[in-house]
Amino acid sequence: YEASVAEPRSEALRLRLRELTEALPLRRAEALHHGAEEACQTCSWEFARSSYEDACSLLAGNTDPKAERMHAMLQTALRDLPATRLRRAWAQVHEAVSSAKWSDIEAAFAVLEKSIDSAVSVGCPTEDLRAQSRAWWERCAVQEALLVKGRADEAVEAGAVDAADAHFAEATRLLETVADSELGSSCLRELGLARHAAAAMFTQSLLEKTRAAQEDRRWDEANESLETAQRVLEPFCGKGIECMLGRLQQTKINIVEAQVAALKTMGEEAAERGSWMEADQC
């Protein structure tokens, strides 16, 4: 009697175990699908892609109707992933531009470019999207560059050499990204002229400070002014500033000669007083 009861129970357990075993790929695929959707929400696109691919592999060849439906859905999601990534990237660009925070705008456009490249790698047509992205970036970059140039102009008026140079350099960097466009190249030329004029003005002022410091024998101050002037002119090397660089070089020579003459005079005066140790140091 016990054997007759145990046999149906064992058969039922075997059937249940087979059902659970057959359901494991489907449940694993459902978990991977859920993970892929969460990855899309956090823009973890490589993780999402690998999760979709793993889920598809698990269900490949599975003839269960539910598994077949899920397999088809996963394949569609995997095929549409580049488009999903592009939509999310465009949304991030819109959000960043609305925030008017440049660091966010620049980062959002970088993400968009990567998304377009990813779509190209799987054969998606993106010519129009890239053109739209380029046009929008051009407007944003030029607008930001003009704002930065405004800060550079303020620094020039305040005589803040380093701040002005930093702002000019940043504006130049931005415009160089759109230098292949008519608007970008035009703005870049105008910026170059403004930066050149500011550099010439700063250099002239620094040379005057150098001469004043030289007359008072404030050698460290004179050399510091010369070093600053040279740093201001560095971005223009080979761009028609040879005359200004020649003046800097001649001023350096003049300072060295003046220092030598001053030390010689001090040594002679010390010798006349009989201060031989002081004379020797000079």
Side-chain angles (χ1 to χ4, degrees):
Y1 173 75
E2 292 179 357
S4 62
V5 172
E7 186 173 341
R9 288 180 179 176
S10 298
E11 181 64 22
L13 287 173
R14 282 195 296 271
L15 290 173
R16 180 56 178 161
L17 181 60
R18 187 171 66 183
E19 290 175 0
L20 292 173
T21 302
E22 291 175 350
L24 281 177
L26 184 60
R27 292 186 177 182
R28 176 59 179 160
E30 289 174 343
L32 287 167
H33 180 216
H34 179 71
E37 289 183 327
E38 287 188 341
C40 289
Q41 293 300 316
T42 59
C43 299
S44 302
W45 303 111
E46 288 305 313
F47 182 81
R49 181 187 56 77
S50 63
S51 296
Y52 279 131
E53 289 177 347
D54 290 346
C56 286
S57 297
L58 281 171
L59 299 181
N62 194 321
T63 58
D64 179 77
K66 187 175 181 180
E68 288 180 338
R69 288 194 298 272
M70 174 164 280
H71 185 254
M73 179 187 65
L74 289 168
Q75 286 184 314
T76 300
L78 181 60
R79 184 180 62 251
D80 294 344
L81 188 60
T84 302
R85 182 175 179 177
L86 277 174
R87 285 195 299 272
R88 184 61 184 272
W90 272 114
Q92 288 179 321
V93 168
H94 279 279
E95 293 171 5
V97 171
S98 299
S99 73
K101 186 177 179 182
W102 180 249
S103 59
D104 291 346
I105 293 173
E106 199 164 22
F109 271 105
V111 169
L112 178 58
E113 282 299 308
K114 288 182 179 179
S115 300
I116 292 175
D117 290 340
S118 176
V120 169
S121 68
V122 293
C124 293
T126 58
E127 290 80 4
D128 292 342
L129 289 175
R130 198 179 291 279
Q132 292 175 30
S133 171
R134 186 66 180 171
W136 203 358
W137 167 257
E138 180 184 323
R139 291 195 297 272
C140 291
V142 169
Q143 183 179 4
E144 180 65 15
L146 292 176
L147 289 174
V148 175
K149 180 186 177 297
R151 292 194 284 270
D153 292 338
E154 293 174 358
V156 170
E157 292 180 5
V161 178
D162 291 337
D165 189 57
H167 291 316
F168 275 125
E170 174 62 11
T172 300
R173 182 188 71 82
L174 291 171
L175 291 176
E176 284 177 344
T177 67
V178 292
D180 57 344
S181 70
E182 184 177 353
L183 177 60
S185 61
S186 175
C187 290
L188 189 59
R189 284 194 299 272
E190 292 178 6
L191 179 68
L193 293 173
R195 189 178 188 183
H196 194 287
M201 186 187 73
F202 278 137
T203 302
Q204 182 61 38
S205 175
L206 288 164
L207 284 173
E208 292 173 0
K209 289 182 179 179
T210 300
R211 283 193 290 269
Q214 180 182 342
E215 291 175 1
D216 295 337
R217 296 185 178 182
R218 290 178 278 117
W219 309 117
D220 289 343
E221 184 178 334
N223 285 319
E224 183 180 350
S225 295
L226 276 179
E227 290 174 0
T228 302
Q230 189 163 4
R231 189 171 69 252
V232 168
L233 291 177
E234 278 178 2
F236 304 98
C237 287
K239 298 181 180 179
I241 60 164
E242 290 76 10
C243 180
M244 191 70 73
L245 289 173
R247 290 178 60 188
L248 284 181
Q249 187 61 33
Q250 186 58 52
T251 303
K252 285 183 179 180
I253 295 172
N254 293 343
I255 289 177
V256 172
E257 291 177 346
Q259 283 181 291
V260 170
L263 288 171
K264 181 180 178 182
T265 300
M266 292 170 60
E268 290 174 348
E269 292 174 351
E272 290 177 1
R273 296 193 305 269
S275 302
W276 303 111
M277 185 176 294
E278 181 182 348
D280 185 56
Q281 290 176 344
C282 292

